[in-house]
Amino acid sequence: EWVPLKNLRTGTRRGGTLKMSAVDVMWHPKNEDIIASAPPNSEVIIWNRFKNQRAYKEHTQLVNKVKWNPHSDHELISASNDGTMKVWDIRTDGACKTLHGHSGSVRDVSWNPHLNSYIGASFDDGSFQIWDMRSERQWQTRVMDEHKSLLSFEWSIEDPKLFATGGISKYIKIWDFQNDSAPKSSIKTVSSIYRLKWRPNHPDQICNCSMTNDNNIYIWNINKPYVPQYSFQTHKDTVTDFEFHETNNYIISASKDSNLVIQDMKNAYLPLKKMMVNTLCFGATDTLAFVNHPNSFGGPNLLNKQLSENRLSDRFQPQKKVAVYDMNSFRDFNSIDNIKYFAQNYQLSGRRIEELCNHNSEVAARAKKASIQNAWIMMYELYRSRIEHKELYDASTSGNRNGGGQMRESYEPKMNWEVLNDIETTTMKNTLEFFAQQGDVQSAVCLYLVFYNHITMDKNELIKWIYAYQEILRRLKLWVEMTEIATVCQNANIGQSSTSITTITTRCGHCGKQIESMSKVYCETCKKAAICPVCE
């Protein structure tokens, strides 16, 4: 249980004083009996545990921040909404220096812990200023960082050149004192930043609490700015301030929920360790991109993928953080070389169906693709059987008609042509759908283009297959094969669709920029006569 050592309240609201409350409070770094506070009445109060307090009343508006000078035992600086910063010597009765920022309200001020003459301040207009106290007339550096209020400015504890700023824009920005043209690092936070503090003995870690809508405290690594390294989720309302304990193992925080909490670093939530560390995606040409976290090497994170034919789990373990794998090394499926081989050697028109099927099955055999070879043979047998059954049906029906063309009453059909036709047609259709469902649109499209007069397919589904196959050919730059596919599509709708998706962008052979019209011979970008990017 927390027990107060001393109550410094000296006034009451009935007496008209606001000294009992404070916007900011700061303990003297060397004298534990002295405390500075900024009550909400534009004063700066110096408290002493054994003496009466002293009040400085030179500011005309609310004081937002008070900071002791780490290089002097008697100096204190205050930042106010009146646009000024005042340096006080607690041994005297008034301000010894007044700095005019001319940038609206001063939201925060901080002494450089390494360079005793430098201070930094942040302002309501979104700018920050760095002053050399040896010349108090004008700031040394002023940067308009953003157009929203900048609420916090904090020098690095370890590096005299670094400082951090944060505000309503939800960005923590790390700056180099010697190069203020652009921030060295930026951290996107969940909500507006109210307080910033560097973690002692950890030069790459900075801590923040938010102004509204977020009750957590976050510690970020400035070299890994996308996810906080630690998170504390104890408070039920907005955190107003926090400090690191001298042991650096605890954070003490105050909140609008009226609680003062000591939080152990060992109990912090670790967002980085809760993230998904492995991810993958497949490419259109049967490649696999895999990103692996280094902590997963040698662990149980294996990639499992169902094989398309024998339904066995195919497992492998990547040995790199980021890698691209050819899946043909792990399962019996079309690789890029096989796609090119089939596209360049298949024959889809110009010969009888029997000859086309024999040729294409031999192509598949040379590629050692037994399933595709058998598909060509089976499709031809179904086609041949369908033709024979049709001829038998036509012969049987014509032979059992009388001279007037009427069927003889004693005729009994030797075969049900419609049933056989449905079975054979459905089998051929299912074969194409099987290949498409396995991702082998090349086989599905090529089989259809050979048997298009004998297979009834859904046109929309067929167009999707052709589009997918032509996209693969386009990526592989197989332009001749793309043109052949568009030519062989005999059906008007299929032909129109395949032609519309076969687009080759014309670019200038000089500068590489796209030419708006293929009929133009002059490039508007480089102002030269366009040359063919293929021939030249």
Side-chain angles (χ1 to χ4, degrees), residues 328-399:
N328 190 52
S329 304
F330 307 102
R331 58 191 176 97
D332 184 20
F333 197 74
N334 282 343
S335 67
I336 295 177
D337 292 336
N338 283 334
I339 292 175
K340 289 182 178 180
Y341 170 76
F342 284 125
Q344 293 171 344
N345 289 276
Y346 270 159
Q347 292 184 5
L348 306 178
S349 63
R351 301 170 67 180
R352 293 187 299 112
I353 290 181
E354 178 182 4
E355 295 174 349
L356 293 175
C357 290
N358 289 335
H359 171 81
N360 293 338
S361 65
E362 292 175 0
V363 171
R366 289 196 295 271
K368 298 181 180 180
K369 296 291 183 179
S371 59
I372 300 177
Q373 177 189 7
N374 294 334
W376 282 105
I377 296 173
M378 181 191 69
M379 289 287 285
Y380 174 72
E381 291 298 329
L382 289 171
Y383 159 77
R384 185 175 61 82
S385 175
R386 190 167 181 266
I387 296 299
E388 290 179 354
H389 292 159
K390 183 69 169 68
E391 292 175 351
L392 289 173
Y393 177 77
D394 292 340
S396 63
T397 55
S398 62

Side-chain angles (χ1 to χ4, degrees), residues 205-482:
Q205 294 183 17
I206 190 167
C207 184
N208 85 286
C209 65
S210 299
M211 186 177 183
T212 56
N213 303 326
D214 191 353
N215 306 331
N216 301 332
I217 299 174
Y218 301 100
I219 297 180
W220 304 81
N221 188 321
I222 63 175
N223 298 319
K224 299 178 181 179
Y226 302 106
V227 180
Q229 190 164 349
Y230 301 94
S231 174
F232 299 91
Q233 306 173 355
T234 306
H235 288 288
K236 298 179 180 180
D237 204 343
T238 304
V239 177
T240 54
D241 207 353
F242 62 90
E243 283 287 347
F244 284 96
H245 190 264
E246 59 183 7
T247 62
N248 202 24
N249 295 323
Y250 303 94
I251 290 182
I252 305 171
S253 58
S255 168
K256 289 182 179 179
D257 60 12
S258 301
N259 289 323
L260 190 64
V261 179
I262 297 180
Q263 312 199 63
D264 194 336
M265 293 293 297
K266 296 179 181 179
N267 300 328
Y269 179 75
L270 306 176
L272 278 173
K273 291 191 176 181
K274 302 295 183 180
M275 290 182 62
M276 183 185 299
V277 295
N278 301 326
T279 184
L280 60 88
C281 86
F282 281 97
T285 54
D286 202 32
T287 55
L288 174 69
F290 187 89
V291 180
N292 199 2
H293 193 275
N295 292 340
S296 300
F297 292 165
N301 295 310
L302 304 178
L303 178 65
N304 300 322
K305 183 68 182 178
Q306 288 295 106
L307 290 178
S308 59
E309 295 184 2
N310 57 13
R311 302 296 180 185
L312 296 178
S313 291
D314 185 27
R315 300 188 176 190
F316 68 98
Q317 185 169 359
Q319 298 300 318
K320 299 179 181 179
K321 294 182 181 180
V322 181
V324 177
Y325 295 90
D326 182 355
M327 290 303 295
N328 190 52
S329 304
F330 307 102
R331 58 191 176 97
D332 184 20
F333 197 74
N334 282 343
S335 67
I336 295 177
D337 292 336
N338 283 334
I339 292 175
K340 289 182 178 180
Y341 170 76
F342 284 125
Q344 293 171 344
N345 289 276
Y346 270 159
Q347 292 184 5
L348 306 178
S349 63
R351 301 170 67 180
R352 293 187 299 112
I353 290 181
E354 178 182 4
E355 295 174 349
L356 293 175
C357 290
N358 289 335
H359 171 81
N360 293 338
S361 65
E362 292 175 0
V363 171
R366 289 196 295 271
K368 298 181 180 180
K369 296 291 183 179
S371 59
I372 300 177
Q373 177 189 7
N374 294 334
W376 282 105
I377 296 173
M378 181 191 69
M379 289 287 285
Y380 174 72
E381 291 298 329
L382 289 171
Y383 159 77
R384 185 175 61 82
S385 175
R386 190 167 181 266
I387 296 299
E388 290 179 354
H389 292 159
K390 183 69 169 68
E391 292 175 351
L392 289 173
Y393 177 77
D394 292 340
S396 63
T397 55
S398 62
N400 284 278
R401 294 179 183 273
N402 55 26
Q406 300 294 325
M407 291 287 293
R408 297 177 184 177
E409 295 181 358
S410 61
Y411 169 71
E412 294 181 1
K414 298 181 179 179
M415 57 188 302
N416 191 330
W417 156 248
E418 293 182 355
V419 173
L420 289 174
N421 180 63
D422 289 342
I423 294 175
E424 291 161 352
T425 302
T426 301
T427 304
M428 297 174 77
K429 177 183 176 181
N430 291 342
T431 302
L432 270 61
E433 291 178 345
F434 168 79
F435 281 107
Q437 290 172 0
Q438 300 302 314
D440 189 0
V441 292
Q442 182 181 46
S443 296
V445 170
C446 292
L447 285 167
Y448 175 81
L449 294 181
V450 171
F451 295 97
Y452 67 92
N453 279 330
H454 307 278
I455 304 178
T456 302
M457 296 292 301
D458 178 70
K459 298 302 180 186
N460 294 329
E461 191 70 19
L462 186 58
I463 289 172
K464 292 180 182 179
W465 296 353
I466 295 176
Y467 176 85
Y469 183 39
Q470 288 200 326
E471 176 64 16
I472 293 174
L473 296 178
R474 184 190 68 80
R475 294 190 181 190
L476 298 178
K477 299 182 179 182
L478 298 176
W479 316 118
V480 175
E481 288 71 18
M482 286 180 65

Side-chain angles (χ1 to χ4, degrees), residues 26-56:
M26 182 65 64
W27 210 302
H28 193 285
K30 296 181 180 179
N31 189 340
E32 63 179 13
D33 295 331
I34 300 177
I35 300 172
S37 70
N41 63 351
S42 74
E43 296 182 2
V44 176
I45 308 297
I46 306 299
W47 303 84
N48 191 302
R49 290 199 298 174
F50 304 106
K51 299 179 183 179
N52 294 331
Q53 79 280 359
R54 172 181 291 179
Y56 296 103

Side-chain angles (χ1 to χ4, degrees), residues 82-273:
D82 61 14
T84 65
M85 295 161 283
K86 292 183 179 291
V87 180
W88 313 87
D89 189 330
I90 60 174
R91 298 170 297 182
T92 64
D93 295 330
C96 56
K97 292 181 181 180
T98 299
L99 310 177
H100 296 272
H102 302 291
S103 297
S105 301
V106 189
R107 288 293 187 172
D108 196 7
V109 66
S110 179
W111 296 88
N112 190 315
H114 304 278
L115 306 173
N116 58 10
S117 61
Y118 285 92
I119 66 166
S122 59
F123 293 82
D124 239 358
D125 66 350
S127 67
F128 65 82
Q129 299 175 8
I130 296 176
W131 292 70
D132 186 343
M133 298 299 292
R134 293 170 295 187
S135 175
E136 59 186 86
R137 293 183 179 181
Q138 183 71 26
W139 57 78
Q140 179 174 321
T141 301
R142 180 179 184 270
V143 175
M144 178 60 71
D145 181 27
E146 51 198 46
H147 297 288
K148 297 181 180 180
S149 183
L150 206 59
L151 302 178
S152 187
F153 184 105
E154 193 74 13
W155 291 99
S156 171
I157 300 174
E158 309 293 337
D159 191 335
K161 298 180 296 182
L162 293 184
F163 61 91
T165 61
I168 294 179
S169 68
K170 304 179 183 180
Y171 277 96
I172 301 173
K173 296 185 179 181
I174 312 301
W175 301 80
D176 189 331
F177 178 38
Q178 297 178 344
N179 181 17
D180 53 22
S181 59
K184 181 179 179 181
S185 176
S186 293
I187 301 171
K188 177 66 175 177
T189 63
V190 177
S191 57
S192 301
I193 296 123
Y194 184 57
R195 287 280 190 264
L196 285 175
K197 287 184 173 66
W198 295 84
R199 186 182 179 190
N201 303 320
H202 293 77
D204 295 333
Q205 294 183 17
I206 190 167
C207 184
N208 85 286
C209 65
S210 299
M211 186 177 183
T212 56
N213 303 326
D214 191 353
N215 306 331
N216 301 332
I217 299 174
Y218 301 100
I219 297 180
W220 304 81
N221 188 321
I222 63 175
N223 298 319
K224 299 178 181 179
Y226 302 106
V227 180
Q229 190 164 349
Y230 301 94
S231 174
F232 299 91
Q233 306 173 355
T234 306
H235 288 288
K236 298 179 180 180
D237 204 343
T238 304
V239 177
T240 54
D241 207 353
F242 62 90
E243 283 287 347
F244 284 96
H245 190 264
E246 59 183 7
T247 62
N248 202 24
N249 295 323
Y250 303 94
I251 290 182
I252 305 171
S253 58
S255 168
K256 289 182 179 179
D257 60 12
S258 301
N259 289 323
L260 190 64
V261 179
I262 297 180
Q263 312 199 63
D264 194 336
M265 293 293 297
K266 296 179 181 179
N267 300 328
Y269 179 75
L270 306 176
L272 278 173
K273 291 191 176 181

